[in-house]
Structures are given as structure tokens and as C-alpha cells.
Amino acid sequence: MATGKPSATITVLALALCAAAAILLLAARPADAASCNPASLSPCGGALLGGAVTQGCCAQLRAQQPCLCQYARNPNYSRYVNGPVAQSVTKACGLPKMKC
């Protein structure tokens, strides 16, 4: 019976490590979501209305690039992100076409 206790201890430790890893992964997700801030794309407002594409707009598009597909799926932002003007702005900034 002494051999059963070490394997039970190892099993409990393995489960505890898995639970800790899952908690850490879930805790990291809100931080990723927090970095997606559509308001930070405000420097692109003029370009979306037919104005010039500025360096500030391009810098913010690059910073928010991982979030663009998330915005494209959001009904509140999709018309801005998916429209032809938005595509021309991203192209003017040298960003690749979104593949969502």
C-alpha cells in the first residue's frame, strides 16, 4: 500500500499544476482583450471620411492590427473596418489585407 500513496501524490500534484496553468491562462486573456481599444483608432477618423492618411493613423493601425478581425466581427465597428475606405487606409499604411 505504500506504493499507492506516492502515485496518488503525483496525481494530485499533476492535477494541481494543470489547474494552476488553466488559471494563469484565463487570467492572461483579459489583459489581451484590454489591449484592443477601438478608440485608439481615432487618428484614422479623418482618413475614413476622405481625408489624408496620417502617420499617427498608421501607427495606431499597426498597434491594433491583431484586433482588427475582432472589430470586423463586432456589429458596432464592422462597417468601419470592413468598408472599402477602411481597406484603402490599411493599404496606404502598408498593412496586409485582413484575413479573418
Side-chain angles (χ1 to χ4, degrees):
M1 286 194 183
T3 58
K5 285 189 177 188
S7 66
T9 302
I10 291 172
T11 302
V12 169
L13 285 174
L15 288 173
L17 285 173
C18 287
I23 290 169
L24 287 174
L25 287 173
L26 290 174
R29 288 189 185 268
D32 292 341
S35 65
C36 290
N37 180 7
S40 67
L41 294 174
S42 62
C44 296
L48 291 172
L49 295 174
V53 178
T54 64
Q55 294 288 9
C57 172
C58 292
Q60 289 302 316
L61 275 174
R62 283 186 195 90
Q64 291 289 303
Q65 189 174 4
C67 305
L68 294 179
C69 285
Q70 174 185 332
Y71 301 153
R73 290 186 292 269
N74 185 320
N76 295 321
Y77 308 119
S78 63
R79 69 178 184 202
Y80 302 108
V81 177
N82 293 327
V85 175
Q87 297 301 319
S88 66
V89 171
T90 56
K91 185 176 179 180
C93 290
L95 294 174
K97 188 173 180 175
M98 286 189 316
K99 295 178 183 175
C100 301

